[in-house]
Amino acid sequence: MKKIMLAWLTVASLLMGCSGSEMSVKGTYRNPVIYADVPDMSVTRAGEYYYMISTTMHLMPGGPVMRSKDLVNWETVSYVFDKLTDNSKYDLIGGTVYGRGQWASSIRYHNGKFYVLFSPNDVPYRSYIFTADNPAGKWELLSRTQHFHDASLFFDDDGRVYVFYGTGELKELKSDLSDVKSDGVSMKIFERDADEQGLLEGSQVVKHNGKYYLLMISMDWSVPDRVRREVCYRADKITGPYEKKVILEHDFDGYGGVGQGCIIDSEEGDWYGVIFQDRGGIGRVPTLMPCRWVDGWPMLGDENGHVPLTMEKEIYPTENTKGILGSDDFSDEKLSLYWQWNHNPVDDKWSLTERPGYLRLETSRVVDNLYLAPNTITQRMEGPKCKATVSLDISNMKDGDVAGFSAFNGHSGLLSVVKEGDAKRLVMSTNVVNFDNTPNKAIASVDVEEQEQVELNQDIIYLRIEGDFTPKRDIATFYYSLDNKEWKKIGTDFKMRFDYTKLFMGSRFAIFNYATKSLGGYVDVDCFDYERADDRVTINK
């Protein structure tokens, strides 16, 4: 197949990279500003650039660092770490870390250096602190310290360093961030009031005009008509006393409330809120809104306190776009930053160089389902509609091998090429993973339903998945082709789901190859061609 990257040169994609010489133009963006799974955002600014980190849990590399010049158009520039190795579950041995791993992180720029703090939600429950001079380069591990849930790293003006975490917990670190300061501040800075009896977490902290502001997500399902909201705790001293105000409470676009994120200022002194919303099968998506300082409080949303569906803003156009997801012809010797592996990869069982221009996926472990398969490679799906096509050379599969393409989550839809003896068949199926109730989150079973199958008599197969995330649909549709021209639908439409008890993330495209009988087989992926339905950004005329 001749490799031709599908044109992703929409206005929105042309806006994502940034260079200092560019001039801004007036544009209009549409919320969610990123229509993909980018939860638990933390944003810092270094001069004219913003840097954002998000949660990707069990995916590797992890701790994606995204860069923007306008808070609208983002590209991934690095990952904080390649693998996590605290226990064998990160390698899908002795259990899994689905929905665990790297949780809500904090990114900060301080005195010419960048810092990231996060705590994996799994044993040994110890946080990581990484640092970098260049956030697009290599991040170095600085220290491991105690577990901090949903933490916010904070450098105060007097040189002291703190972590806000949990529900109103404050801890002081040593000035070199090597550990907790044994004789430093360690306290609960507030107690829940009668209106805060449910979820209250996701700490993000700023200091503004001498006051300390702690932002948190708040939700109490026992209160009728309550939606998720963002609250702020404010104090004149870091140790308190703190007073509280609800700064955002809006049922946005029919999906409920918007809560958890941060506020950030621009070089010009304007303030914005970057707050995510749960949005069904696509996952948790960032929204961007004004932050208005009213009587010393950072009030989020427009003048009515609503998340704007559209908003005019200065945009920085460029032709050097990369974004956070997109097509790949696998022509580089280094894997694109679009991709993340499901759990730690087995590095000697995949290659971009053994057959230049292809991604080779070798089988590396005999397993009986996709959720235990090493070297499943994924990237985000995107709303409101998207589609992706992969071309597979399946000539080197062995008896018992299973390879293909999936709308991957705790509830997955699969297009699987199954090799049985000398025969191959394409199967469209649905998979639902069930975990045991032990701390290992081991896979107890996978419910598999085959919907349709066809026999294959050739070694090149084209597979396509279309995702429809228009309001309340969350439907994946599956197709195959023998010549990349005539396409046939296969199986049933599949309802994608977000389930925090399973994978705790939005649905992703996934390419996989695993062995059920013996090792030695492989498939070659020719290309991944991606399209989305519409532009999220327009240039105002």
Side-chain angles (χ1 to χ4, degrees):
M1 173 184 177
K2 183 179 180 181
K3 299 174 182 62
I4 302 175
M5 298 286 283
L6 288 179
W8 197 38
L9 301 179
T10 60
V11 172
S13 67
L14 289 172
L15 303 176
M16 289 200 180
C18 305
S19 67
S21 62
E22 293 168 346
M23 299 294 293
S24 64
V25 297
K26 283 289 186 182
T28 299
Y29 73 86
R30 182 180 179 88
N31 269 319
V33 66
I34 303 175
Y35 209 148
D37 191 56
V38 183
D40 305 333
M41 306 83 62
S42 175
V43 181
T44 194
R45 183 174 58 81
E48 61 186 353
Y49 287 99
Y50 303 93
Y51 294 89
M52 177 168 67
I53 192 167
S54 175
T55 296
T56 53
M57 301 182 195
H58 51 274
L59 301 176
M60 305 292 166
V65 177
M66 293 156 275
R67 181 180 66 190
S68 176
K69 201 174 179 182
D70 53 22
L71 292 171
V72 174
N73 303 290
W74 295 88
E75 64 175 335
T76 303
V77 295
S78 71
Y79 290 92
V80 174
F81 57 89
D82 292 327
K83 296 182 180 181
L84 293 179
T85 57
D86 280 339
N87 61 69
S88 65
K89 293 182 292 180
Y90 288 101
D91 299 310
L92 289 170
I93 297 173
T96 77
V97 290
Y98 283 115
R100 297 179 179 176
Q102 172 248 353
W103 269 31
S105 307
S106 178
I107 187 169
R108 294 290 178 262
Y109 177 67
H110 176 70
N111 287 345
K113 282 185 172 290
F114 292 83
Y115 298 88
V116 162
L117 165 66
F118 68 90
S119 291
N121 188 33
D122 201 82
V123 292
Y125 294 100
R126 300 278 291 173
S127 66
Y128 287 82
I129 300 178
F130 281 84
T131 187
D133 295 321
N134 174 14
K138 180 70 175 176
W139 289 80
E140 300 292 341
L141 178 62
L142 180 61
S143 65
R144 300 290 304 271
T145 183
Q146 77 169 68
H147 180 79
F148 297 115
H149 173 71
D150 277 14
S152 183
L153 183 63
F154 180 74
F155 295 89
D156 209 348
D157 302 331
D158 59 5
R160 298 172 74 175
V161 189
Y162 301 88
V163 179
F164 291 78
Y165 66 102
T167 302
E169 301 285 346
L170 176 66
K171 190 84 70 172
E172 187 172 359
L173 301 182
K174 294 179 180 179
S175 59
D176 62 0
L177 279 69
S178 61
D179 207 345
V180 171
K181 187 176 181 181
S182 60
D183 59 347
V185 173
S186 178
M187 63 179 294
K188 190 88 177 284
I189 57 175
F190 69 83
E191 297 293 338
R192 296 173 184 263
D193 60 31
D195 198 38
E196 298 296 347
Q197 299 305 307
L199 179 71
L200 188 59
E201 61 182 21
S203 299
Q204 290 292 326
V205 178
V206 300
K207 190 174 185 180
H208 179 61
N209 290 342
K211 291 183 181 291
Y212 300 87
Y213 294 88
L214 166 62
L215 276 66
M216 306 182 77
I217 184 176
S218 164
M219 180 61 191
D220 189 342
W221 286 270
S222 68
V223 179
D225 301 322
R226 174 69 61 87
V227 297
R228 293 186 183 189
R229 60 190 190 175
E230 193 75 6
V231 298
C232 179
Y233 289 83
R234 180 182 74 177
D236 294 320
K237 297 198 313 181
I238 198 166
T239 55
Y242 282 80
E243 55 182 331
K244 187 195 85 173
K245 189 175 185 65
V246 177
I247 59 172
L248 179 66
E249 188 171 9
H250 178 219
D251 186 349
F252 172 61
D253 203 26
Y255 284 90
V258 180
Q260 191 162 338
C262 60
I263 58 175
I264 190 71
D265 64 333
S266 68
E267 272 196 304
E268 296 75 25
D270 298 318
W271 284 80
Y272 298 91
V274 186
I275 313 291
F276 79 71
Q277 181 185 49
D278 280 40
R279 209 170 174 93
I282 195 68
R284 298 177 290 173
V285 299
T287 64
L288 176 65
M289 67 199 74
C291 174
R292 300 167 293 111
W293 290 95
V294 180
D295 298 327
W297 291 99
M299 305 305 295
L300 295 173
D302 60 20
E303 63 277 5
N304 298 312
H306 294 170
V307 179
L309 187 60
T310 62
M311 178 175 159
E312 186 177 89
K313 192 182 181 301
E314 292 292 317
I315 305 295
Y316 287 84
T318 180
E319 294 182 359
N320 299 320
T321 180
K322 290 185 178 178
I324 66 171
L325 68 158
S327 298
D328 194 354
D329 66 359
F330 302 112
S331 60
D332 293 337
E333 293 188 359
K334 188 176 181 180
L335 192 65
S336 167
L337 295 177
Y338 295 148
W339 297 105
Q340 289 178 283
W341 302 98
N342 176 25
H343 289 62
N344 288 336
V346 181
D347 285 326
D348 63 352
K349 295 299 182 181
W350 69 273
S351 174
L352 290 167
T353 58
E354 289 185 19
R355 184 181 180 183
Y358 292 77
L359 169 65
R360 176 161 294 177
L361 296 176
E362 301 179 38
T363 58
S364 61
R365 192 179 303 156
V366 175
V367 298
D368 62 3
N369 66 79
L370 174 60
Y371 295 95
L372 285 175
N375 287 6
T376 296
I377 191 168
T378 79
Q379 65 167 286
R380 296 173 180 90
M381 301 180 84
E382 185 180 25
K385 291 183 179 181
C386 63
K387 69 178 177 181
T389 304
V390 296
S391 170
L392 300 180
D393 182 340
I394 56 177
S395 59
N396 293 288
M397 295 177 70
K398 291 187 63 176
D399 179 32
D401 287 359
V402 182
F405 195 32
S406 173
F408 184 62
N409 212 324
H411 298 74
S412 295
L414 281 67
L415 286 174
S416 303
V417 178
V418 180
K419 177 77 178 290
E420 295 174 330
D422 293 329
K424 299 187 186 81
R425 58 192 175 98
L426 176 65
V427 180
M428 187 271 155
S429 66
T430 63
N431 285 199
V432 180
V433 65
N434 304 299
F435 298 101
D436 64 20
N437 57 5
T438 70
N440 289 335
K441 203 169 185 181
I443 296 174
S445 64
V446 178
D447 301 328
V448 178
E449 293 186 8
E450 292 193 3
Q451 304 296 329
E452 186 178 350
Q453 62 177 287
V454 295
E455 298 299 318
L456 296 176
N457 297 304
Q458 63 184 58
D459 289 332
I460 305 296
I461 184 71
Y462 305 90
L463 306 176
R464 175 175 293 170
I465 299 175
E466 296 184 357
D468 183 352
F469 300 97
T470 52
K472 310 303 182 182
R473 281 189 56 76
D474 293 348
I475 295 296
T477 312
F478 302 84
Y479 303 85
Y480 74 98
S481 175
L482 302 178
D483 58 7
N484 202 27
K485 296 177 181 178
E486 181 182 354
W487 288 89
K488 297 180 181 179
K489 183 177 178 180
I490 181 171
T492 60
D493 289 350
F494 175 71
K495 179 72 172 182
M496 294 177 282
R497 293 174 173 85
F498 177 90
D499 188 339
Y500 75 93
T501 69
K502 296 187 185 293
L503 270 59
F504 205 172
M505 63 173 45
S507 298
R508 297 176 73 92
F509 293 115
I511 308 170
F512 59 89
N513 181 35
Y514 63 92
T516 67
K517 294 182 179 179
S518 63
L519 303 183
Y522 63 87
V523 296
D524 289 329
V525 187
D526 187 10
C527 65
F528 173 89
D529 287 339
Y530 174 81
E531 293 180 279
R532 73 174 180 193
D534 68 350
D535 297 332
R536 307 301 293 170
V537 182
T538 57
I539 301 300
N540 297 348
K541 301 297 185 182

